[in-house]
Amino acid sequence: RLWYYYMGEQRHHRRKPTLVVVVLGSSGRRVDIDDVLELPIDVVVLAFANTKVSTSWKKEILDRIEIPALTDACHESVKKYKEALNEAAFQSLMAWSNERNRDFDGITCFDDQGVELVAYLCETLKLPGTSQETIDYFQDKLRFRMFCLERGLPSVLCKSVDNINDIHDVLQKKDWPYPSILKPRKGAGSVSVRKVQNPAQLIEEYNCVVQELKNSTA
């Protein structure tokens, strides 16, 4: 009888697993997290301080961990931004964990903008997850296509264009098929993706995409 009582108390006080949901994309996609909130776990949202998430989540999640705004210097390049974001998110998680005396059991996200950060955090905290190397293969469109070709897997015809000279190389190919798709090697949500109908449009759209990418990291 004492053993059953002890086990009952132990089950009563055993904390539920803690899952961190990274929210870096636009807010309001409540349908993506509904199923998670129905699980027998505690959900913690990790987001920037100025990110607006659904107000109805506040009653259903355990807490919200805020990533402080990054300095302007962090936006000088994509590499600097990612390194600063990784460190800021990690420090925010650790501060919350130490204050609550509570570990994390898993970290996930529900859009492409968070997968790299999730991979970094899972590797750093030694939690189950997809490795950063694997994520990079899927995030880098050219690298993924080369990965497929090296292993004999089907892949669409492609050409890496790093500057205007590479564009002229494509223009010299009389058999290059149109329409073609011009897109950044990395990115999500069809940002800066262009459908090109002819050689003249290729140069025009390339210049537009280059300017958009410069503005996005400014």
Side-chain angles (χ1 to χ4, degrees):
R1 184 176 297 177
L2 289 175
W3 182 78
Y4 280 116
Y5 174 76
Y6 170 76
M7 291 301 294
E9 286 294 299
Q10 191 178 45
R11 285 195 298 269
H12 178 72
H13 292 292
R14 184 185 300 164
R15 75 166 178 83
K16 293 186 289 185
T18 303
L19 176 68
V20 177
V21 177
V22 175
V23 181
L24 292 184
S26 58
S27 60
R29 281 177 278 184
R30 182 174 169 73
V31 64
D32 294 306
I33 200 173
D34 273 347
D35 291 340
V36 175
L37 292 172
E38 293 178 1
L39 297 174
I41 61 176
D42 284 329
V43 176
V44 176
V45 169
L46 175 66
F48 281 112
N50 61 352
T51 298
K52 294 182 179 179
V53 297
S54 176
T55 55
S56 58
W57 287 0
K58 295 179 180 179
K59 294 181 180 179
E60 301 175 37
I61 64 176
L62 175 65
D63 204 352
R64 168 176 171 161
I65 303 174
E66 294 186 346
I67 306 172
L70 304 181
T71 63
D72 293 339
C74 299
H75 294 266
E76 292 178 358
S77 69
V78 173
K79 181 180 179 180
K80 282 187 176 182
Y81 177 83
K82 289 182 178 178
E83 290 176 348
L85 173 60
N86 289 346
E87 181 62 20
F90 175 74
Q91 293 300 333
S92 295
L93 285 180
M94 289 300 93
W96 187 91
S97 177
N98 293 333
E99 180 182 345
R100 296 295 191 93
N101 191 27
R102 185 166 184 152
D103 294 328
F104 305 108
D105 299 286
I107 304 176
T108 189
C109 63
F110 55 93
D111 59 25
D112 287 345
Q113 294 177 331
V115 293
E116 289 179 297
L117 176 57
V118 169
Y120 167 80
L121 293 174
C122 286
E123 283 194 2
T124 304
L125 297 172
K126 302 188 184 309
L127 294 172
T130 306
S131 69
Q132 294 184 77
E133 181 181 9
T134 301
I135 290 297
D136 190 57
Y137 272 117
F138 288 104
Q139 293 287 90
D140 189 323
K141 300 174 182 63
L142 177 63
R143 191 179 180 192
F144 178 69
R145 281 170 173 72
M146 295 300 102
F147 177 90
C148 292
L149 288 173
E150 291 169 0
R151 289 156 179 80
L153 300 174
S155 179
V156 298
L157 175 67
C158 66
K159 164 71 176 175
S160 175
V161 288
D162 297 320
N163 51 56
I164 192 64
N165 293 329
D166 291 335
I167 291 293
H168 289 304
D169 288 342
V170 175
L171 295 177
Q172 292 176 4
K173 297 179 182 295
K174 302 300 183 182
D175 58 345
W176 187 266
Y178 293 94
S180 292
I181 301 296
L182 179 69
K183 60 169 60 179
R185 286 180 59 172
K186 290 191 175 184
S190 299
V191 176
S192 298
V193 175
R194 299 287 196 278
K195 183 177 181 180
V196 178
Q197 299 286 0
N198 53 62
Q201 190 180 10
L202 175 60
I203 296 180
E204 178 184 348
E205 295 295 352
Y206 171 78
N207 290 329
C208 290
V209 170
V210 168
Q211 191 58 49
E212 284 182 6
L213 296 178
K214 286 182 178 179
N215 293 337
S216 67
T217 58

